[in-house]
Amino acid sequence: MSLPDFLRETQTEVRNQMADGSPFAELVFCEIAMQHMAEIGMTFEPVSCHFQGKVLNANLRLSGYALSEEQDQLDLFVSLYEGVEEPTPISDTETRTAVEQCLRFIGFAAEGKLAPKLEPTSDVRSFAEILQEIYDELEQVRVFVLTDKVTKSKSFKTRDIAGKAVRLEVMDIERLYRHLSEGKPRDELVVDFTEVSGRPLPCVSVPGETGDDDYDYALTAIPGEALRLLYEKFGARLLEANVRSFLSVKGKGVNAGIQNTLRTAPGRFMAYNNGIVVVADEIRFGKAEDGSTGIAWLKGLQIVNGGQTTASLYFSKKKFPDTDLSRVRVPAKIIVMKTQDPVREEALVSDISRFANSQNAVRQSDLSANKPFHVEIEKLSLTVYCPDGVGRWFYERAAGSYNTMLAREGTTPARLKALKEAIPPARRITKTDLAKYLNAWDRKPEVVSLGSQKNFDRFMASLSGPEGAELPLPTVADYKGMIAKAKLFRDAQKLVRPMFQAFQANVTAYVVAVLSDRLGERIDLDRIWARQACSPELLEQVATWAREVDAELHRTAAGRMVSEWAKKPECRDAVLGASYSAASEDIPELR
């Protein structure tokens, strides 16, 4: 798929959501872009939160935000949307203006000047209050400008806002296309060691012996300052784009030891530390200082073990500026990927990460593309056709595999058109999508509200029986039922989006849970599969209960931010235990 094709597909998706009742195209685009970034590991679970206006005679702007689970990292988003059909340039002046307006939002909120100026019941007011409360403890703040145009600059100089260094980036349609078409955001992660450390790194290189090898291999020692600069430039993206698991810098015991060594015995760091494991897509060699072969350049690097070491170097220097990293060397194992198959590559990276982290509490569920459950769902999606005998759903077991399939099989315009008609983007389901749909139906809306990655963890844990044994693999009937639940959730989502100004994701998860709780045993999922649609009567019932669920969420939140309250088991108990209007008996799906 080319960039123009991707842009047109994105605009079609925006128009489709507008046709479903979403009020503002700019916010729809923002939500699509934020979700894409979350899927590829560039941000956390995003929340739409729109504000544009004047406060204290200054223009402020915000479209959404994403806060890490530990509430120590925050991303903010500003949308610049024009609805263009062909790649069109946008000036740096426009993107800088949007950045400035978002920076003012951050500064005013952090200083407590913003919240008192906003409506007490608005979601923006709630977020401004949260931002004021947590700002001093944030360790990373980023601002992303999201645009359907093409920018010249993809990042701007870091700014100091209320005592915090705020990193500024642009996610334009070109950058978004590159990430999604290749299924990974690693290509932007490039390091030239002749720039960051003055010379290539001495190494021992062990290339693959046969043409069948999946990787080449090298051992080196990376200067501590070079690793700190890498983290300063790329942040958690060094650690999470493939593993999908940021090893938090909050581990007091480990990090206290690392910090102490850096402060008191930097020359012994290499002797004390186990080092890091790096996966990369490309490597270039040069001459080291002694004339031997050295690593000059790495592209697409990803630290799959040693996240705490890497982050601790950065935060120790930030907290104690006199920390001397010039004497610090970090042992590093470099694995350079050779496979061109995205599925094989993801499985190999997952295995490398799992075994490299075997001594740590890394979540195995994050490395699950090749788990039997997902492999079986993928097989079923390839063999089970829709009732029309032509269409299929696509289970994206490996990130980017849908676009890879289109490129591989759509070799002519006619074939590509037929392929998109049989398996349109609307029938693409990711691993985290499926986990969300099934957990909502299983009456776990509080888990769904935790965000896609944590919800996925819980979902994977539920697939294991006693003592970790795998449950039976899904059958064809199970698969059809899953697709019916997916269709129901997505239709509910389309209904809910235009109905409420905020917290639509929480309302959707909860109304699906209420529907399952009240009518689940009576709903004929086979009928939904057979028609590939929910009846108007069923959707009317969803709309009715969605209004009542939204009211119940706000009532029981008692002034708290609904998106945070929705994560609590107490919220689930209160909402599922509430009284709702009687269900209509005219719903065709009811048995």
Side-chain angles (χ1 to χ4, degrees):
M1 182 190 302
S2 65
L3 173 59
D5 289 337
F6 174 72
L7 174 59
R8 284 189 286 271
E9 283 202 359
T10 301
Q11 304 298 19
T12 298
E13 188 175 353
V14 171
R15 286 193 294 271
N16 288 342
Q17 291 195 25
M18 292 290 292
D20 291 328
S22 295
F24 301 111
E26 184 168 331
L27 298 185
V28 172
F29 170 77
C30 178
E31 188 172 303
I32 291 170
M34 290 192 301
Q35 288 295 342
H36 283 329
M37 291 174 65
E39 285 179 13
I40 60 178
M42 286 190 69
T43 190
F44 314 100
E45 187 69 16
V47 178
S48 295
C49 188
H50 175 68
F51 179 80
Q52 185 171 3
K54 277 196 172 185
V55 175
L56 301 176
N57 291 321
N59 289 314
L60 276 60
R61 188 168 184 160
L62 180 72
S63 301
Y65 67 91
L67 183 62
S68 69
E69 193 175 308
E70 297 84 7
Q71 295 196 339
D72 61 347
Q73 298 174 75
L74 175 67
D75 294 336
L76 298 103
F77 305 93
V78 180
S79 177
L80 291 178
Y81 177 76
E82 294 291 338
V84 296
E85 291 294 329
E86 296 293 335
T88 305
I90 184 173
S91 69
D92 284 353
T93 301
E94 289 183 75
T95 51
R96 284 183 186 276
T97 298
V99 163
E100 292 296 334
Q101 292 174 347
C102 189
L103 291 176
R104 290 190 202 110
F105 184 100
I106 296 171
F108 282 17
E111 295 166 6
K113 299 176 181 177
L114 180 56
K117 303 290 184 181
L118 302 174
E119 287 290 329
T121 58
S122 72
D123 57 324
V124 183
R125 166 75 175 259
S126 297
F127 174 61
E129 291 173 343
I130 289 175
L131 183 54
Q132 179 185 354
E133 181 182 337
I134 68 173
Y135 194 75
D136 289 344
E137 303 301 318
L138 288 173
E139 293 174 341
Q140 175 178 280
V141 184
R142 299 183 296 183
V143 170
F144 287 93
V145 177
L146 310 176
T147 176
D148 60 336
K149 291 186 173 182
V150 179
T151 62
K152 180 180 179 181
S153 301
K154 309 298 188 198
S155 62
F156 300 117
K157 185 178 180 180
T158 297
R159 293 276 297 277
D160 186 278
I161 302 297
K164 296 286 180 186
V166 180
R167 293 169 54 200
L168 311 174
E169 301 191 41
V170 180
M171 179 61 71
D172 64 354
I173 197 69
E174 182 180 52
R175 187 178 177 192
L176 194 62
Y177 161 73
R178 188 161 63 244
H179 291 342
L180 293 172
S181 64
E182 297 175 10
K184 56 190 178 183
R186 297 205 309 259
D187 278 359
E188 293 181 359
L189 276 62
V190 177
V191 56
D192 185 337
F193 288 108
T194 60
E195 290 183 2
V196 298
S197 57
R199 57 187 179 274
L201 305 180
C203 74
V204 175
S205 175
V206 185
E209 296 181 359
T210 71
D212 296 331
D213 290 329
D214 290 321
Y215 64 91
D216 291 330
Y217 179 86
L219 290 173
T220 188
I222 301 178
E225 179 63 15
L227 204 53
R228 184 196 72 80
L229 288 170
L230 277 177
Y231 190 86
E232 180 178 65
K233 183 175 182 180
F234 298 118
R237 289 171 57 198
L238 278 172
L239 317 174
E240 67 186 0
N242 281 277
V243 179
R244 309 287 179 136
S245 175
F246 173 57
L247 304 182
S248 173
V249 298
K250 299 262 184 210
K252 301 300 182 186
V254 174
N255 293 317
I258 293 174
Q259 190 175 94
N260 184 60
T261 301
L262 292 172
R263 299 274 293 153
T264 62
R268 296 185 178 180
F269 192 87
M270 189 163 177
Y272 293 168
N273 191 269
N274 289 332
I276 65 176
V277 179
V278 175
V279 170
D281 291 328
E282 295 181 39
I283 188 170
R284 291 180 188 168
F285 295 101
K287 292 294 182 182
E289 198 171 32
D290 61 358
S292 63
T293 299
I295 299 173
W297 180 89
L298 288 173
K299 178 181 179 182
L301 67 159
Q302 194 69 175
I303 297 173
V304 296
N305 178 247
Q308 288 192 351
T309 296
T310 304
S312 293
L313 284 167
Y314 172 79
F315 288 113
S316 294
K317 181 69 173 180
K318 186 176 180 181
K319 186 175 182 179
F320 302 104
D322 61 339
T323 300
D324 182 14
L325 297 183
S326 66
R327 300 174 60 197
V328 174
R329 296 292 182 275
V330 182
K333 179 165 66 175
I334 313 294
I335 299 168
V336 183
M337 309 300 293
K338 293 169 67 176
T339 177
Q340 299 300 310
D341 186 326
V343 175
R344 286 184 63 195
E345 180 178 304
E346 180 168 325
L348 179 57
V349 171
S350 295
D351 285 343
I352 291 168
S353 184
R354 183 173 74 251
F355 292 121
N357 285 287
S358 58
Q359 76 277 19
N360 294 333
V362 173
R363 299 175 299 178
Q364 299 300 309
S365 59
D366 287 335
L367 315 171
S368 61
N370 53 346
K371 290 282 187 180
F373 173 85
H374 298 294
V375 172
E376 189 63 24
I377 293 293
E378 182 185 52
K379 287 179 181 177
L380 289 166
S381 75
L382 294 172
T383 57
V384 178
Y385 284 79
C386 295
D388 63 6
V390 177
R392 285 189 287 117
W393 286 71
F394 188 92
Y395 188 61
E396 194 166 61
R397 180 167 70 92
S401 58
Y402 177 79
N403 287 331
T404 300
M405 178 271 296
L406 291 178
R408 184 177 297 164
E409 299 181 27
T411 52
T412 67
R415 285 184 180 177
L416 183 60
K417 181 181 178 182
L419 202 57
K420 287 182 177 180
E421 289 175 353
I423 315 173
R427 288 192 188 143
R428 165 185 166 265
I429 296 180
T430 66
K431 298 189 296 291
T432 52
D433 284 340
L434 186 64
K436 176 170 62 177
Y437 305 150
L438 298 186
N439 269 352
W441 184 261
D442 286 343
R443 300 178 296 285
K444 300 174 184 176
E446 83 288 1
V447 177
V448 175
S449 296
L450 290 172
S452 59
Q453 292 305 315
K454 194 159 188 179
N455 174 68
F456 183 72
D457 288 347
R458 302 286 184 88
F459 174 73
M460 288 303 299
S462 72
L463 296 180
S464 298
E467 299 181 0
E470 294 282 348
L471 294 178
L473 293 177
T475 64
V476 171
D478 294 332
Y479 172 74
K480 291 179 178 179
M482 290 177 190
I483 297 300
K485 293 170 186 175
K487 182 62 179 167
L488 197 158
F489 188 101
R490 288 183 170 184
D491 285 353
Q493 194 172 42
K494 289 179 181 179
L495 273 177
V496 166
R497 275 179 177 151
M499 290 174 64
F500 310 104
Q501 291 187 339
F503 315 119
Q504 299 98 329
N506 304 117
V507 174
T508 301
Y510 271 84
V511 75
V512 169
V514 168
L515 185 75
S516 174
D517 186 62
R518 299 300 199 270
L519 300 175
E521 292 184 359
R522 296 181 60 196
I523 290 180
D524 185 357
L525 295 173
D526 288 339
R527 188 184 193 278
I528 297 176
W529 164 262
R531 289 164 173 74
Q532 293 289 295
C534 298
S535 68
E537 293 86 352
L538 177 58
L539 295 181
E540 180 58 36
Q541 185 63 62
V542 169
T544 298
W545 279 348
R547 296 183 188 93
E548 298 173 25
V549 163
D550 178 69
E552 196 65 24
L553 281 169
H554 280 84
R555 186 187 69 80
T556 56
R560 289 167 287 194
M561 195 165 188
V562 168
S563 57
E564 294 303 311
W565 168 236
K567 299 175 182 178
K568 309 292 186 183
E570 297 86 351
C571 179
R572 173 205 61 209
D573 294 342
V575 174
L576 292 187
S579 297
Y580 298 98
S581 58
S584 169
E585 289 299 323
D586 295 329
I587 299 172
E589 286 88 349
L590 291 186
R591 288 184 288 225

